[in-house]
Amino acid sequence: MNPRLAAVRVLAQVLDQGRSLAEALPQVQRELPERDRALVQELCYGVLRRRDLLQAVLEQLLSKPLRAREREVQLLLLVGLHQILHMRTPPHAAVSATVEVTRVLGKKWAAGLANAVLRRALRERESLLAAVPAAARLSHPDWLQDALRDAWPKEAEGLMEANNLHPPMSLRVNTQRQSRDEYRRELDEAGIAAAPGPHAEEALLLEKPRGVESLPGFAEGRVSVQDQAAQLAAALLDVPAGARVLDACAAPGGKTCHLLERQPELAELVAVELDPLRMPRIQENLARLELHAKLVEGDAARPADWWDGRPFERILLDAPCSATGVIRRHPDIKWLRRADDIPRLAALQEKLLEALWPLLAEGGRLLYATCSVLPVENSEQIQRFLTRHPEARCEPLPGSWGREQACGRQILSGDEGMDGFYYACLSKRG
């Protein structure tokens, strides 16, 4: 399949059928030769990051809107414009390859249109971009722009701009095998530039993203890929030797593995996951790192179905959320999420907190985490919980990262290169 046509097919599934990029993209990539897969990924991610901006440019270049039945032509033109405006594709290649796809689609009439639109975009690039309205330039749906401005009036525009950028690649060094400095020297010898993460003890930040197969020791479990913000969880939970630990919403298992790497002398780590299709990812991660946890397929909101009655000294609740802190890694989130998802998710988070709190031992700690930047899922959620539970105490968080909240701390997307995350640590009074 032509890679640009493949990108059109993926975009149609995401934008018109509501499929996630994680579902649609790999399925199409499997039909492509290895050499084309990265290009298709870049085209899909790029168009989803800047959909509204590209659409606003396209509308300037069309004398009249395309009919709804010409959706594939419209998506193809967005793909072509993304190459011209944001990629280093040679101009003649971007134009000719796009025109060629109109013929593959059986739309010979569109060949002249594509040629004219893209050539004019090349000539008038700066003036076309200058005429794009500010809201379209940010390329976020209206409801999300409003929610971010309500929550973070001073930071909202910078936050949305950060959401439209390529994220950096962060590694987590398995310090059971070697120190961070030792692995950094190994990367240096391999010609891979990396710097220590300032906030997570095991984090290395790569200067340039690369495939995991080129990382020394990846297959042997000496290193994993995980954003620095996500790596904070294991340190914040501060698990002592001999503790019984619950990871309540465990897939894909990155935090489960990190907890075991940092504290190998646990009494037990129980990893609970509701989705049976995500369980193999936890097993794969544990196997690659040669770690062991007790895996339970179950609903964390219904512990009566799987809990044995023995309390946990530590609980990690990485709660299902809007994922508004990781849009730069998953740009389809912007277009798939709806405003009415947020109260539904907040209700689920509350249900999980109430269900898991009785499982925590007296004197134990529960770390609440989300990859959301919306207060209703984060600081406001925890404030409501503290009001209902006088036996719960908000613990101060160590470190200098993020923004202090009434309880916990919030990282906004792009803060010091990190994903957007919220953390709050609750202890139970005896």
Side-chain angles (χ1 to χ4, degrees):
M1 186 187 299
N2 181 296
R4 289 163 180 83
L5 177 58
V8 167
R9 295 278 156 80
V10 172
L11 291 167
Q13 289 184 54
V14 173
L15 295 172
D16 301 338
Q17 299 169 27
R19 293 191 77 196
S20 74
L21 200 49
E23 293 172 336
L25 181 60
Q27 193 173 39
V28 171
Q29 282 179 314
R30 281 194 289 272
E31 300 173 19
L32 297 168
E34 184 75 31
R35 66 177 185 277
D36 289 337
R37 293 177 186 176
L39 172 60
V40 174
Q41 179 167 321
E42 169 55 35
L43 293 172
C44 293
Y45 274 69
V47 171
L48 291 171
R49 284 190 178 112
R50 298 183 173 89
R51 187 194 76 169
D52 287 357
L53 179 146
L54 294 168
Q55 181 63 32
V57 170
L58 178 60
E59 287 171 6
Q60 296 178 62
L61 294 166
L62 294 174
S63 58
K64 59 181 180 181
L66 290 166
R67 288 173 290 188
R69 67 185 185 187
E70 304 301 348
R71 177 64 164 161
E72 286 188 320
V73 173
Q74 185 205 15
L75 291 173
L76 176 63
L77 292 175
L78 297 183
V79 168
L81 286 171
H82 173 61
Q83 293 171 86
I84 286 172
L85 299 175
H86 302 118
M87 293 176 65
R88 296 179 178 176
T89 311
H92 67 279
V95 175
S96 63
T98 305
V99 170
E100 175 59 27
V101 176
T102 63
R103 298 192 177 99
V104 177
L105 286 171
K107 309 277 186 182
K108 292 183 179 178
W109 62 267
L113 174 70
N115 187 60
V117 162
L118 298 184
R119 289 191 182 281
R120 193 176 149 205
L122 283 166
R123 290 194 306 272
E124 303 175 23
R125 183 179 189 281
E126 298 308 321
S127 61
L128 290 166
L129 288 173
V132 172
R137 193 172 296 120
L138 293 170
S139 283
H140 283 59
D142 292 344
W143 76 266
L144 185 52
Q145 292 202 27
D146 292 343
L148 294 174
R149 287 196 172 92
D150 286 346
W152 307 101
K154 295 180 180 176
E155 299 91 346
E157 290 215 2
L159 200 165
M160 286 185 270
E161 288 168 1
N163 283 343
N164 292 337
L165 299 177
H166 283 269
M169 185 171 177
S170 303
L171 304 181
R172 185 188 79 234
V173 178
N174 182 354
T175 52
Q176 292 299 312
R177 307 283 187 88
Q178 66 200 120
S179 72
R180 178 170 71 173
D181 287 345
E182 288 170 340
Y183 189 74
R184 187 187 178 194
R185 283 195 289 275
E186 196 172 343
L187 288 179
D188 189 53
E189 289 166 5
I192 301 172
H199 300 300
E201 295 174 7
E202 296 86 6
L204 284 173
L205 314 179
L206 295 190
E207 190 173 287
K208 294 178 182 176
R210 56 197 306 119
V212 294
E213 67 283 353
S214 67
L215 296 172
F218 179 82
E220 301 90 69
R222 290 194 286 122
V223 68
S224 301
V225 176
Q226 189 178 40
D227 188 77
Q228 187 182 193
Q231 294 185 41
L232 295 170
L236 293 174
L237 202 55
D238 189 25
V239 180
R244 190 165 190 250
V245 180
L246 171 65
D247 186 353
C249 301
K255 296 183 181 70
T256 306
C257 292
H258 195 193
L259 288 167
L260 291 164
E261 288 171 3
R262 284 184 64 96
Q263 181 48 274
E265 297 180 6
L266 293 177
E268 185 177 43
L269 193 153
V270 180
V272 174
E273 174 54 40
L274 176 62
D275 185 350
L277 297 177
R278 303 186 76 197
M279 289 296 277
R281 281 295 306 281
I282 307 176
Q283 292 167 330
E284 289 166 12
N285 281 319
L286 287 167
R288 184 178 63 83
L289 294 158
E290 299 180 4
L291 299 169
H292 176 73
K294 179 182 179 181
L295 302 187
V296 176
E297 184 184 316
D299 185 349
R302 300 181 58 179
D305 294 344
W306 48 266
W307 185 39
D308 62 7
R310 291 184 295 154
F312 295 95
E313 282 79 34
R314 294 289 186 272
I315 294 176
L316 171 60
L317 172 53
D318 188 5
C321 69
S322 62
T324 43
V326 291
I327 286 173
R328 59 185 186 163
R329 297 190 189 278
H330 307 282
D332 51 329
I333 288 170
K334 290 191 291 189
W335 312 115
L336 298 178
R337 192 68 73 206
R338 299 287 180 264
D340 58 7
D341 290 337
I342 306 306
R344 179 181 57 77
L345 286 163
L348 174 59
Q349 292 148 8
E350 180 179 318
K351 185 178 179 183
L352 286 164
L353 275 166
E354 293 295 341
L356 295 172
W357 186 247
L359 279 59
L360 185 67
E362 290 185 359
R365 289 186 171 197
L366 184 151
L367 183 68
Y368 177 80
T370 77
C371 57
S372 166
V373 296
L374 300 178
V376 67
E377 300 180 87
N378 298 334
S379 56
E380 293 173 12
Q381 180 74 264
I382 294 301
Q383 282 303 114
R384 292 193 296 271
F385 182 82
L386 290 168
T387 302
R388 296 193 300 271
H389 291 273
E391 78 281 13
R393 183 171 62 192
C394 176
E395 296 291 335
L397 300 180
S400 59
W401 47 271
R403 296 147 201 264
E404 291 284 355
Q405 304 295 290
C407 180
R409 213 176 285 169
Q410 178 74 58
I411 304 168
L412 297 183
S413 316
D415 280 356
E416 299 187 79
M418 293 189 282
D419 285 346
F421 256 84
Y422 171 79
Y423 287 109
C425 187
L426 306 175
S427 62
K428 182 182 277 188
R429 292 188 177 104

